[in-house]
Amino acid sequence: MLKIGIVGCGAIGTILAKSIDKNPKAQIVALNDIDETKPENLKNTLLASSPKITTLDQLTDASDLIIECAHKNAVKKIATTALNKKKDILIMSVSALIENPQLFELAKKNNTKIHIPSGAIAGIDALKAGLQNNIKSVTLTTTKPKETLSHAPYIKENKISIEKIKKKTTIFEGNVIEATKGFPENINISATLALAGIGPKKTKVKIIADPESKINIHELKITGDFGEITTTTKNTPCPGNPKTSYLAPLSAIAKIKDIIENTNIGT
Ligand SMILES: NC(=O)c1ccc[n+]([C@@H]2O[C@H](COP(=O)([O-])OP(=O)(O)OC[C@H]3O[C@@H](n4cnc5c(N)ncnc54)[C@H](O)[C@@H]3O)[C@@H](O)[C@H]2O)c1
């Protein structure tokens, strides 16, 4: 029985908890959130698990696997605590790993694992395969409903009036370091691509604000010695958080099943 602790009981945390609750080989033992009402409400919806609502330290001690689905700014503390206590961690706020590469060193030193689900995009498997012999370019073009971008630091710093955008508009072009700084809650997928592929400096990102769209669209183009790949993922928003695509928690559920079953299908 895998004992799991969840940090962050919002849209993703709720979907993951409800799925894990149905798996007889896993048990949610602890929940943590800065908003006290969230874990309490989530606990009340679970049928098989009866998790304790705890501090981060207590949650880490009680769990075999820690799931982070909280916030970019919380990752350093959550992951350092988990890895120092020699516990594996699954990270959703992947943007934070671009600024904290030392966490991978810490995982290696402590013989622990950092799990990163693919998120709401197709193509990570092929990117990893292509990387074995020369990837030339990785370009992500993300189109989002304009209102989901309005709180991003890049929008505020550049005084972009999102409400005045009347047609599809490219609002950002740059690399993953710049993208994850400017849009920490919107473009985690670019961090996952960078970590799986040619790194945050070389992985290119374009963000388009669309006043008509209700979905997140990720278009990925990879070129290399293997040839060329293009993928398009049209994502339904997640219940509870329109910034998050539903495929993101679904990819985490698939990853957690692999961890529980000790399987690893795909590259
Ligand atoms: N990897 C991906 O592909 C992907 C996709 C979508 C979202 N995300 C990221 O996953 C995270 C969760 O997304 P969500 O849609 O569930 O967000 P959400 O806002 O619905 O939920 C986040 C929850 O975390 C809590 N929280 C915030 N800071 C915390 C802290 N320091 N300690 C404990 N709890 C804290 C909040 O109170 C909230 O309940 C976000 O960082 C988001 O950017 C990743």
Side-chain angles (χ1 to χ4, degrees):
M1 177 76 79
L2 189 76
K3 291 187 246 164
I4 296 178
I6 298 179
V7 187
C9 302
I12 294 180
T14 299
I15 291 172
L16 298 188
K18 287 181 178 173
S19 163
I20 295 163
D21 194 45
K22 289 185 195 137
N23 191 322
K25 293 184 183 168
Q27 186 187 11
I28 304 161
V29 291
L31 298 172
N32 171 275
D33 199 295
I34 45 168
D35 177 344
E36 284 177 11
T37 61
K38 295 276 183 75
E40 201 61 58
N41 292 341
L42 177 53
K43 184 181 172 174
N44 290 336
T45 67
L46 301 178
L47 301 173
S49 303
S50 184
K52 295 207 164 88
I53 297 165
T54 68
T55 64
L56 177 61
D57 268 316
Q58 289 165 338
L59 177 143
T60 309
D61 287 335
S63 310
D64 304 316
L65 172 71
I66 288 81
I67 297 179
E68 179 284 322
C69 36
H71 193 275
K72 181 190 175 203
N73 296 343
V75 169
K76 189 177 175 188
K77 186 173 172 202
I78 298 165
T80 305
T81 306
L83 299 172
N84 275 335
K85 288 179 187 270
K86 303 205 186 307
K87 302 292 174 85
D88 294 346
I89 183 163
L90 181 146
I91 292 180
M92 291 307 297
S93 308
V94 192
S95 291
L97 294 173
I98 301 298
E99 282 169 26
N100 293 285
Q102 79 284 358
L103 292 171
F104 290 106
E105 290 306 314
L106 186 60
K108 256 185 225 157
K109 188 179 135 215
N110 290 340
N111 201 20
T112 46
K113 293 193 186 86
I114 297 177
H115 299 283
I116 303 173
S118 298
I121 200 164
I124 301 269
D125 50 352
L127 172 61
K128 282 169 69 182
L131 189 66
Q132 305 315 309
N133 196 12
N134 191 28
I135 293 280
K136 289 183 191 135
S137 68
V138 179
T139 310
L140 172 70
T141 303
T142 291
T143 304
K144 288 187 173 260
K146 66 171 189 176
E147 60 278 3
T148 63
L149 296 161
S150 59
H151 297 294
Y154 183 89
I155 300 293
K156 290 184 181 164
E157 277 156 27
N158 290 283
K159 300 188 171 51
I160 298 170
S161 305
I162 281 281
E163 66 285 355
K164 288 189 186 149
I165 293 177
K166 301 286 180 225
K167 60 179 175 43
K168 263 178 148 187
T169 306
T170 299
I171 54 167
F172 172 86
E173 277 184 278
N175 66 24
V176 169
I177 298 170
E178 295 153 349
T180 52
K181 244 187 214 143
F183 300 86
E185 292 178 42
N186 301 100
I187 202 81
N188 283 286
I189 198 65
S190 73
T192 308
L193 281 170
L195 294 168
I198 55 176
K201 275 191 198 151
K202 288 188 190 158
T203 306
K204 300 284 179 262
V205 181
K206 186 170 166 179
I207 300 176
I208 298 170
D210 186 349
E212 306 292 337
S213 180
K214 295 278 171 252
I215 60 172
N216 296 317
I217 302 171
H218 295 307
E219 292 165 282
L220 176 62
K221 184 168 179 187
I222 309 168
T223 63
D225 285 3
F226 69 90
E228 188 178 306
I229 292 167
T230 52
T231 71
T232 301
T233 318
K234 295 183 177 178
N235 287 293
T236 305
C238 197
N241 187 355
K243 275 185 280 185
T244 289
S245 300
Y246 187 41
L247 193 60
L250 294 182
S251 82
I253 291 172
K255 175 67 82 186
I256 293 162
K257 280 191 179 154
D258 272 351
I259 296 168
I260 292 169
E261 300 293 340
N262 228 352
T263 52
N264 193 0
I265 299 165
T267 47

